[in-house]
Amino acid sequence: EGAAVAAGIVCHALWRERRTLRQALPTVGWALGTVGALLALRLAVYGVPLPNTWYAKQSFPLSETWRVNDQYIKPDQATFLGMACLWALGAVLPPWRTARGLVAVLALGLAFIPLNVYMWMPGLRLYMPVLALASVLTASAIASWGARWSAPAALVVFGLAVGLARDAEDRAYDYDGRHSVEPANGTELAATWIRAQLPPGEWLATRDAGVFAYYIGPDTHVAELHQRALTRPHVDGRDADIASYTPPNPAVIVVTQRREKTEGFVYGNDRRVLNRTTEPYRYEGRVYQHYHRYYDVYVRADLPVSPLPPELVVSKAGPPPPHPAP
């Protein structure tokens, strides 16, 4: 998104100083230099011009992406409508200037970009830059009305913008409050327990390369089982080929669950990895991370890892390993 904003600023500078291009060169130089340095860094380190999150999350048809995002936007339809009205008001009110046109285009572009990826969170938080630009756009128009009219109109615009932002803030805090990871949760303690006993160089297979992967430490390799794995390349938008990088018998397999006593599997890749094992595994039980996020932990039976402490295990409802330890 930052590159899009920088490109807009450069285009405006070139247009404004088109008769004396020399005056626009500092702005152009700084913008192109910053973006160029960022692209060079990504190419040197990762071999791709954009963040891997883009390749992992954006490779879907727009129709599918918008269908998924609809469930995250629908609860806030009234708020999105208010934001759109604020933008439209600022875009059509006189006096018209190229600077305002640029702001209108930037706001529209920044509104479009989040729709191209799966949101998986309160969508309004991604639209705060759009709200700010829409407010600036409208304020720049009413500023020309004179103090008698512009002051009360500005208060109305300011109040609307604050109301929209507060609505987004409340929903985001509510979402984060439910999904934030508490310190010393069961998943962290389970991973720390296994880390202290696991020989270096072993493999962990897990869909969510988050808390468990972090606390099991850097001496353990991690095979991310998510089909849109953020740690794997997605050539031509393809899903991650988990069979190509996940060993057949990783030291630890972590299966993602949503409820304390759910049976079976939620995700196909978890089932695929566990069912293709050829060695005995010990089912340690299910540990808690946060709201509607639990993990079934399986440890290869030949490893010198003692069972998880009973106080960490919330249930043993998970699927048994195909080759249980004797």
Side-chain angles (χ1 to χ4, degrees):
E1 289 88 345
V5 174
I9 293 172
V10 168
C11 290
H12 179 255
L14 290 173
W15 172 259
R16 186 184 58 190
E17 307 296 344
R18 59 190 182 279
R19 295 181 180 176
T20 54
L21 185 59
R22 187 181 304 173
Q23 297 181 35
L25 290 180
T27 302
V28 175
W30 279 108
L32 294 183
T34 302
V35 174
L38 181 60
L39 290 176
L41 176 65
R42 288 174 180 159
L43 287 171
V45 176
Y46 305 108
V48 290
L50 295 174
N52 196 55
T53 48
W54 173 262
Y55 299 103
K57 298 295 186 182
Q58 189 271 336
S59 301
F60 305 96
L62 279 182
S63 57
E64 178 188 345
T65 308
W66 289 12
R67 177 184 56 79
V68 172
N69 286 339
D70 180 63
Q71 63 181 308
Y72 297 96
I73 295 176
K74 188 173 293 183
D76 303 304
Q77 284 180 341
T79 307
F80 276 108
L81 180 60
M83 192 181 304
C85 290
L86 190 63
W87 175 88
L89 190 66
V92 301
L93 284 175
W96 183 259
R97 296 187 179 91
T98 57
R100 290 184 58 211
L102 171 64
V103 171
V105 171
L106 285 179
L108 201 59
L110 292 178
F112 179 77
I113 289 172
L115 293 176
N116 288 269
V117 297
Y118 286 176
M119 291 183 181
W120 304 117
M121 62 180 71
L124 279 174
R125 77 167 83 199
L126 302 178
Y127 284 84
M128 291 302 98
V130 180
L131 176 60
L133 290 178
S135 302
V136 168
L137 193 64
T138 304
S140 67
I142 65 177
S144 63
W145 294 359
R148 179 180 178 182
W149 297 103
S150 62
L155 288 176
V156 172
V157 171
F158 178 76
L160 177 60
V162 170
L164 296 177
R166 286 300 302 272
D167 182 65
E169 180 185 37
D170 292 342
R171 292 182 183 275
Y173 271 117
D174 180 61
Y175 183 94
D176 291 341
R178 286 182 291 139
H179 292 276
S180 292
V181 177
E182 296 293 333
N185 64 81
T187 299
E188 173 188 333
L189 297 177
T192 303
W193 175 271
I194 294 174
R195 173 186 180 179
Q197 306 172 69
L198 196 65
E202 292 288 353
W203 279 85
L204 161 70
T206 177
R207 181 180 188 273
D208 303 323
V211 172
F212 207 104
Y214 178 84
Y215 282 101
I216 206 167
D219 292 332
T220 301
H221 304 293
V222 176
E224 189 181 2
L225 305 181
H226 198 293
Q227 72 273 17
R228 311 306 301 179
L230 299 181
T231 56
R232 308 300 304 182
H234 294 271
V235 181
D236 298 326
R238 293 193 295 267
D239 286 347
D241 181 12
I242 64 167
S244 67
Y245 58 84
T246 305
N249 294 291
V252 183
I253 299 174
V254 174
V255 171
T256 301
Q257 299 287 358
R258 293 175 179 167
R259 302 292 189 274
E260 181 178 335
K261 297 182 179 180
T262 301
E263 298 179 1
F265 296 91
V266 177
Y267 300 104
N269 281 347
D270 287 351
R271 178 190 295 107
R272 181 182 177 189
V273 167
L274 185 63
N275 286 345
R276 74 172 186 162
T277 57
T278 59
E279 297 182 14
Y281 277 79
R282 188 176 69 246
Y283 176 45
E284 297 288 339
R286 186 166 299 175
V287 296
Y288 172 77
Q289 178 176 302
H290 60 61
Y291 178 76
H292 288 177
R293 185 64 82 207
Y294 297 82
Y295 296 108
D296 285 324
V297 182
Y298 303 82
V299 178
R300 208 172 63 229
D302 66 308
L303 295 169
V305 178
S306 55
L308 291 178
E311 61 269 21
L312 298 184
V313 179
V314 298
S315 81
K316 287 204 171 183
H323 305 284

